[in-house]
Each structure stands twice: as structure tokens, then as C-alpha cells.
């Protein structure tokens, strides 16, 4: 399950995390991830990883990076 946000700002990442945790109660899933337009910083990646959520972000120049918990 992936939640996408238009910004990598703290409040967007926190909202995405809350939405994933809410949806996970009702939707069968194998893993969870947040999709962002840029790297959110190590603190927010650590927050996502602390609850077993991956971080996917777009690199400058194209392409995506997935950081697994």
C-alpha cells in the first residue's frame, strides 16, 4: 500500500503516515510506503522506518529511490 504526497515537508509525511496506519486496519497489504517528490531528510525517514513503512522519493533528474525499513 502506498500513500503519495505532493511535498516532503514534515506535516505531509506525518499525514501520509497517519493515513497509511488508518487504511492498514481495513485493507489487506504486504507492505506500506510513502511516495514523495523529494528526499524528506533522515529524521522523517527514521520516523517512517520506526513503524515499518518504506520511503520512496524522486531523485533530481528522474528516477526513484526506495528506502526499506
Amino acid at each position: 500500500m502506498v500513500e503519495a504526497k505532493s511535498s516532503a515537508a514534515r506535516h505531509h509525511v506525518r499525514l501520509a503516515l497517519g493515513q497509511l496506519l488508518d487504511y492498514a486496519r481495513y485493507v489487506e497489504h504486504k507492505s506500506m510506503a510513502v511516495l514523495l517528490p523529494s528526499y524528506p531528510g533522515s529524521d522523517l525517514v527514521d520516523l517512517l522506518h520506526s513503524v515499518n513503512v518504506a520511503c520512496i522519493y524522486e531523485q533530481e533528474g528522474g528516477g526513484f529511490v526506495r528506502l526499506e525499513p
Side-chain angles (χ1 to χ4, degrees):
M1 180 168 34
V2 178
E3 178 65 28
K5 290 296 174 216
S6 61
S7 168
R10 177 172 292 278
H11 65 279
H12 288 273
V13 174
R14 293 180 69 214
L15 178 60
L17 180 56
Q19 288 174 296
L20 280 173
L21 295 175
D22 186 24
Y23 303 153
R25 300 178 305 147
Y26 304 105
V27 177
E28 189 173 324
H29 60 281
K30 293 183 181 184
S31 64
M32 294 185 288
V34 173
L35 174 62
L36 302 167
S38 60
Y39 181 69
S42 59
D43 180 52
L44 292 172
V45 172
D46 289 345
L47 172 63
L48 295 172
H49 287 177
S50 74
V51 290
N52 204 33
V53 174
C55 178
I56 304 169
Y57 66 93
E58 188 173 10
Q59 292 180 331
E60 281 190 35
F64 290 86
V65 174
R66 182 180 179 113
L67 303 174
E68 296 290 343

